[in-house]
């Protein structure tokens, strides 16, 4: 059984009450339940982690390299400037799928840049909570297509 870890970055614990016009009305808890249900369809074991702190996200990525087969990561605003998270992703060999609820390319200029995109297996952006589900789909795709997802340097 494949084990996957979903990592939510800063402010995503407030989903449902945070800027609902941008991020939707579904609560953080209900979105996580939907992700886990979706992962079960593929018979993936799925754990969820959230932190508002850069170093804790890096620690989880390091732990994930031994405990999980793949990661779905919404790094929140760290996406746009955290070279430390970028380096952590590059350091591990399991595939990391970058996801965003909103379409970062259609928003503020500073959101158009993802410093983590070059080291992720791919990016899914703009489909609300479905971006996370598609992140799970992407891991399934990688494993079924024989892509290693490791070619991220
Ligand atoms: C986000 C987009 C980021 O620009 C923002 O800082 C977030 C959420 C998204 O899921 O759309 O916190 O990653």
């Amino acid at each position: 059984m494949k084990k996957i870890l979903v990592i939510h970055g800063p402010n995503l614990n407030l989903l449902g009450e945070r800027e609902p016009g941008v991020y939707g009305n579904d609560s953080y808890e209900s979105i996580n339940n939907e992700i886990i249900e979706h992962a079960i369809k593929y018979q993936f074991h799925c754990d969820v982690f959230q932190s508002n702190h850069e170093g804790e996200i890096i620690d989880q990525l390091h732990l994930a390299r031994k405990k999980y087969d793949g990661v779905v990561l919404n790094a929140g605003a760290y996406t746009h400037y955290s070279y430390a998270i970028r380096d952590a992703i590059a350091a591990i060999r399991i595939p990391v799928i970058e996801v965003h609820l909103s379409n970062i390319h259609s928003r503020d200029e500073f959101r158009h840049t993802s410093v983590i995109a070059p080291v992720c297996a791919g990016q899914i952006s703009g489909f609300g909570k479905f971006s996370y589900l598609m992140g799970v789909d992407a891991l399934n795709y990688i494993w079924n297509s024989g892509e290693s997802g490791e070619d991220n340097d």
Side-chain angles (χ1 to χ4, degrees):
M1 178 187 262
K2 295 282 191 192
K3 293 177 76 178
I4 70 173
L5 178 64
V6 175
I7 301 179
H8 302 278
N11 302 306
L12 292 162
N13 53 310
L14 297 184
L15 284 174
E17 62 176 278
R18 172 193 185 199
E19 298 183 81
V22 178
Y23 300 115
N25 292 300
D26 291 305
S27 70
Y28 173 71
E29 288 76 17
S30 74
I31 290 175
N32 285 333
N33 287 338
E34 285 196 52
I35 298 168
I36 291 166
E37 292 284 304
H38 191 66
I40 286 170
K41 290 183 206 153
Y42 291 114
Q43 297 187 320
F44 296 161
H45 173 88
C46 178
D47 290 326
V48 177
F49 174 82
Q50 190 276 331
S51 177
N52 296 317
H53 305 280
E54 187 178 27
E56 289 184 0
I57 294 168
I58 293 165
D59 288 344
Q60 279 302 311
L61 287 165
H62 292 180
L63 287 173
R65 83 190 199 282
K66 303 250 175 182
K67 279 184 65 182
Y68 295 93
D69 300 293
V71 172
V72 175
L73 170 64
N74 185 348
Y78 286 137
T79 302
H80 313 302
Y81 65 93
S82 176
Y83 298 122
I85 291 177
R86 181 224 178 271
D87 284 353
I89 298 166
I92 64 176
R93 291 181 170 274
I94 58 172
V96 177
I97 313 296
E98 174 187 356
V99 303
H100 302 282
L101 296 123
S102 64
N103 180 354
I104 59 172
H105 303 286
S106 69
R107 298 182 63 199
D108 322 74
E109 187 90 37
F110 76 89
R111 296 184 205 275
H112 297 181
T113 300
S114 167
V115 301
I116 68 171
V119 293
C120 287
Q123 182 192 74
I124 300 162
S125 179
F127 302 101
K129 65 184 177 183
F130 295 104
S131 293
Y132 289 98
L133 309 189
M134 293 162 93
V136 175
D137 294 340
L139 287 173
N140 183 60
Y141 166 76
I142 286 169
W143 292 323
N144 280 312
S145 69
E147 295 273 334
S148 71
E150 287 178 17
D151 186 19
N152 63 1
D153 54 7

